[in-house]
Amino acid sequence: MPLILSLMTCVVSAISIVRAQGLTAPALAMWPSAWALSWAIAFPVLLLMLPVVKRVTAVIVEM
């Protein structure tokens, strides 16, 4: 599940770069490295946060 969720960084990094740089060739060339960096951060964070999110969700559902 964290792997699939972390793929969302693809969309987020593309939106961020296009918003900041415009839809240009240099911006599109920069996007793969931006995605790689954001994925490298997001995947471990998701792995660490998943147990916490599951517990919080369980508490909310039981209310």
Side-chain angles (χ1 to χ4, degrees), residues 8-29:
M8 179 181 56
T9 60
C10 168
V11 174
V12 173
S13 63
I15 291 170
S16 296
I17 286 184
V18 169
R19 178 138 166 79
Q21 303 282 325
L23 192 56
T24 62
L28 295 176

Side-chain angles (χ1 to χ4, degrees), residues 7-54:
L7 294 177
M8 179 181 56
T9 60
C10 168
V11 174
V12 173
S13 63
I15 291 170
S16 296
I17 286 184
V18 169
R19 178 138 166 79
Q21 303 282 325
L23 192 56
T24 62
L28 295 176
M30 185 187 310
W31 171 71
S33 64
W35 179 24
L37 177 61
S38 62
W39 183 86
I41 294 168
F43 185 62
V45 169
L46 283 165
L47 287 175
L48 292 172
M49 292 302 298
L50 188 60
V52 175
V53 171
K54 284 183 177 182

